Amino acid sequence: MSGEQVASEPFEPVVIGFTCNWCSYRAADLAGTARIKYAPNVRLIRLMCSGRLDPTFILDALARGADGVLISGCHPGECHYVDQNLNTLRRFRMLERILPALGIEPQRVQLVWASAAEGTQLAHEIDRMVEEVRGLGPLDWPARMAAAGGRTGPGVSPVGWPAGSRGEPEPGAIKGATEPPGVHA
Amino acid sequence: MSGEARPTFAMYGAGSCGGCDIAVLNVHEKILEIGAAFEVVLWPVVMDAKYRDLEARPDSSIDLTLFSGGIRTDENADLARLLRRKTKLLVAFGSCAGEGCIPGLANLTPPAEILDTVYETVSTENPDHLRPGTQPNPGGPGQLAGFAAVLRTLDQVVDVDYFVPGCPPESPRIAEVLDLALAALRGGEDLPPRGAVLGAGESTVCDECARTRNVKQIAGFRRIQEIDHLDPTLCLLEQGIPCNGAATASGCGALCPTAGAQCVGCYGPVAGAIDGGARLMSAFASVAQARTAEEMDRILDGLVDPIGQFYRFGLAKSLLRASRSAWAAAGGEWGRR
Ligand code: SF4
Ligand code: SF4
Ligand code: FES
């Protein structure tokens, strides 16, 4: 990169792409072997089926700094696990309904069907989405949270209630409970 | 308990409605036991106490503090830190302290807009245009407490030993928690690991609900007030009522569906859920009878307030915690804390 770009680095969006092992991940692979270029801004994560996609993954990606999330799976009727991709479709449509209230543009979370043979199409969709997200600018969720002075890092309880924390008391656990408490300025 | 010193107890309400204090007072004859077993050192709803007396106490000298309410103002945050310092067992008591609850829904709105509504709308007489934190209170020497950009849960401000969910927590659960704390403080019982949820079960409200479930497939959502006849024994979700029981922690005994209303999720997400709203969305998506985007959209059109449906109690503790416009205010005047 040339020196003149150092002053203000151009915005390079980060898009997390959840792909299905049987279709879109292979489509991306095919694009690679066929030397079809697509934007390096997308980071592909392979799932065994798009039906594994929990809305938590999408929200977590955005909360950790992704500028957009691409979801892709086999075309309806072609899912290798009967019709789990319809579950994906329903979850995605539902998630879309809450994004406006959070101020997240619909272009930042997109669903694309792609069969294993559709490398060119998937590469094209990735490029299109990356450009759309680039146009929207950074989402920057972690920086926003840090600016509000919330605690981050070690010692912060995880979001959600801890798993397996409601059963029988653990022997000796009161020691942990009475450790010197942490106070955070 | 003659002779030996009783364990000390405090209860404090930050950004809350006061319902949690009432819930503790509402434990029936148990309240007499609490009064006899504990020495109450701070409980503004019940007795007069001064913050300076609290400050003067040695650190870790309060055995048990039930802290209700989210952290929205400077004062809330100061008291959270002070009580943390003074307390051995700090309990985030109720939905507000634990996950933000209804006050946390204000995290969807930028703070300036909230204050405009509260301080400047037509029903408010505010000739001096007072605002939190910015102007002296003419009635006295103090200032109105500053208002943060977003509401935070107690554990987003200080370390919390235990969480007790519910809006408000139910009497039998409160009694159990107090008994457990008392036994532990007297040295007779061990407490669960720090950070645990007390007073809620490992399963869901559906598990406690007596309504009959057949095949869970729903063709649409309707609001409960729009329905003339509800089957009193059939699962509400199957009747198209958006009931949150499937992803809500057990503990209340399925009070609302038993009484004929949908569970709105006040006991918080079921154990292990990272984001309660996401868990609910998954649950609803798997029962929606839709095979195309259009069919799904038609079903979703029946959900009038999606974010309120899924995040009514847990927004402030969800993965995203607030809207972008609320976060945007955090850098400036609002971000002092
Ligand atoms: S969805 Fe609601 S009504 Fe149906 S079983 Fe669960 S709690 Fe009961
Ligand atoms: S049924 Fe749901 S909303 Fe009603 S008290 Fe129980 S957890 Fe809360
Ligand atoms: S196997 Fe590809 S979406 Fe299910």
Side-chain angles (χ1 to χ4, degrees):
Chain A
M1 254 189 212
S2 62
E4 67 218 33
Q5 278 174 324
V6 170
S8 78
E9 284 231 356
F11 165 57
E12 281 301 335
V14 173
V15 173
I16 301 298
F18 291 103
T19 50
C20 158
N21 177 57
W22 302 105
C23 50
S24 45
Y25 191 80
R26 292 182 183 206
D29 203 30
L30 181 73
T33 15
R35 299 184 178 235
I36 302 163
K37 288 207 176 92
Y38 58 85
N41 306 62
V42 71
R43 317 281 198 270
L44 297 183
I45 295 175
R46 176 168 56 161
L47 307 172
M48 280 310 285
C49 169
S50 72
R52 176 63 185 91
L53 188 81
D54 185 314
T56 309
F57 300 174
I58 301 165
L59 297 169
D60 199 23
L62 298 174
R64 288 175 190 231
D67 300 297
V69 175
L70 174 77
I71 306 151
S72 61
C74 310
H75 287 274
E78 290 173 15
C79 174
H80 289 56
Y81 303 90
V82 190
D83 53 7
Q84 288 308 304
N85 54 356
L86 298 184
N87 233 337
T88 312
L89 171 70
R90 293 192 288 261
R91 287 176 189 154
F92 167 72
R93 290 310 254 212
M94 197 162 296
L95 188 76
E96 272 191 317
R97 300 259 168 164
I98 67 152
L99 295 180
L102 293 162
I104 297 171
E105 300 87 344
Q107 295 93 319
R108 291 192 190 268
V109 183
Q110 299 192 26
L111 172 68
V112 166
W113 303 129
S115 78
E118 291 174 331
T120 318
Q121 289 90 327
L122 183 65
H124 174 76
E125 291 294 317
I126 289 173
D127 286 348
R128 179 189 53 74
M129 179 169 174
V130 166
E131 285 322 303
E132 283 178 18
V133 174
R134 191 193 303 280
L136 293 173
L139 188 59
D140 242 0
W141 218 273
R144 290 168 199 276
M145 288 209 251
R151 300 166 67 205
T152 46
V156 182
S157 315
V159 276
W161 307 119
S165 58
R166 300 168 198 199
E168 288 302 297
E170 272 186 19
I174 190 169
K175 286 194 202 75
T178 50
E179 271 167 15
V183 178
H184 302 259
Chain B
M1 300 276 318
S2 57
E4 90 197 65
R6 292 175 295 165
T8 43
F9 172 92
M11 178 151 195
Y12 185 77
S16 68
C17 71
C20 282
D21 293 275
I22 306 304
V24 175
L25 291 171
N26 196 31
V27 293
H28 308 292
E29 62 281 352
K30 188 91 193 165
I31 193 71
L32 301 173
E33 231 178 274
I34 298 170
F38 285 103
E39 181 195 340
V40 178
V41 298
L42 175 85
W43 194 352
V45 163
V46 170
M47 59 178 225
D48 186 37
K50 299 282 177 268
Y51 291 165
R52 61 171 177 272
D53 296 335
L54 180 61
E55 270 158 17
R57 294 188 69 88
D59 286 356
S60 302
S61 67
I62 303 173
D63 291 304
L64 175 67
T65 293
L66 305 183
F67 192 104
S68 72
I71 311 300
R72 187 73 214 225
T73 67
D74 295 353
E75 190 195 17
N76 298 157
D78 287 344
L79 261 292
R81 294 191 187 102
L82 183 58
L83 280 164
R84 172 67 284 181
R85 221 168 44 237
K86 302 296 175 189
T87 301
K88 287 192 189 116
L89 295 182
L90 178 66
V91 176
F93 189 84
S95 174
C96 288
E99 52 166 359
C101 196
I102 307 298
L105 275 180
N107 281 4
L108 292 174
T109 310
E113 209 175 293
I114 297 172
L115 296 184
D116 284 346
T117 306
V118 174
Y119 286 83
E120 304 292 348
T121 35
V122 64
S123 59
T124 310
E125 202 173 300
N126 186 9
D128 297 326
H129 302 288
L130 289 177
R131 286 295 178 104
T134 53
Q135 292 183 20
N137 179 354
Q143 279 210 335
L144 293 177
F147 191 73
V150 298
L151 179 139
R152 283 174 288 159
T153 60
L154 184 59
D155 70 321
Q156 287 164 1
V157 179
V158 297
D159 284 343
V160 167
D161 296 314
Y162 296 105
F163 297 86
V164 177
C167 178
E170 285 303 314
S171 298
R173 303 288 88 75
I174 298 174
E176 284 163 21
V177 169
L178 290 174
D179 280 344
L180 177 66
L182 210 48
L185 290 166
R186 286 170 176 159
E189 184 105 49
D190 292 320
L191 283 171
R194 195 171 178 187
V197 175
L198 306 178
E202 288 279 356
S203 69
T204 63
V205 172
C206 284
D207 273 354
E208 294 187 321
C209 177
R211 287 177 178 263
T212 322
R213 271 161 291 170
N214 304 314
V215 51
K216 270 202 180 167
Q217 279 274 295
I218 50 144
F221 290 116
R222 293 179 296 171
R223 293 209 269 181
I224 201 159
Q225 64 268 33
E226 291 165 357
I227 297 176
D228 287 337
H229 177 72
L230 267 179
D231 186 326
T233 58
L234 186 65
C235 166
L236 291 165
L237 194 58
E238 280 181 39
Q239 300 182 65
I241 311 293
C243 181
N244 284 356
T248 301
S250 57
C252 69
L255 278 181
C256 298
T258 306
Q262 72 263 40
C263 170
V264 288
C266 85
Y267 257 68
V270 61
I274 290 169
D275 183 295
R279 183 62 74 94
L280 272 170
M281 283 188 269
S282 283
F284 278 32
S286 55
V287 297
Q289 209 168 25
R291 300 187 67 83
T292 64
E294 293 68 37
E295 282 171 14
M296 189 60 187
D297 285 348
R298 203 164 340 107
I299 291 178
L300 290 173
D301 286 342
L303 272 187
V304 285
D305 174 20
I307 194 129
Q309 177 74 38
F310 301 125
Y311 289 98
R312 184 169 310 183
F313 294 92
L315 180 68
K317 199 170 171 138
S318 67
L319 283 162
L320 296 174
R321 288 173 39 186
S323 76
R324 228 168 144 197
S325 55
W327 288 125
E333 153 191 12
W334 314 99
R336 282 162 305 163
R337 281 173 190 264

